[in-house]
């Protein structure tokens, strides 16, 4: 599951590469993706053992592949549920960092 957390961070590189020479909105999206994933991963590491126990309980005697798929799905669902209320805060901070109009 630790590898899954690393893969979550790895997906950010694609998003950031896609924002090169993009609009400010594209860059903000890439930065939000990185920030969201870093915070989710930090929380996932802080709660690694309880999360692992939950995944094992939910997965029962499933294969390693199925257990990992369950972990990935739960990790992403929990991340969204935990951080959905902070979207306005992040939007405000990104607009402050990268305003649409310079001047």
């Amino acid at each position: 599951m630790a590898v899954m957390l690393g893969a979550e961070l790895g997906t950010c590189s694609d998003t950031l590469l896609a924002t090169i020479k993009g609009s400010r909105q594209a860059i903000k999206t890439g930065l939000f993706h990185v920030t969201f994933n870093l915070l989710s991963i930090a929380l996932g590491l802080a709660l690694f053992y309880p999360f692992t126990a939950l995944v094992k309980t939910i997965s029962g005697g499933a294969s390693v592949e199925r257990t990992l798929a369950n972990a990935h799905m739960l990790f992403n669902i929990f991340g969204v549920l935990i951080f959905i209320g902070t979207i306005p805060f992040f939007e405000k901070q990104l607009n402050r960092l990268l305003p649409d109009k310079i001047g």
Side-chain angles (χ1 to χ4, degrees), residues 1-2 4-12 31-48 51 71-87 90:
M1 285 193 227
M4 177 208 58
L5 294 176
E8 284 291 323
L9 186 57
T11 63
C12 297
L31 288 175
F32 176 78
H33 189 227
V34 169
T35 304
F36 171 80
N37 277 2
L38 283 174
L39 292 173
S40 295
I41 291 166
L43 190 58
L45 288 173
L47 300 172
F48 187 78
F51 178 71
H72 197 182
M73 180 186 64
L74 285 173
F75 177 79
N76 284 309
I77 290 171
F78 287 155
V80 169
L81 291 175
I82 290 169
F83 292 110
I84 197 163
T86 64
I87 291 173
F90 282 113

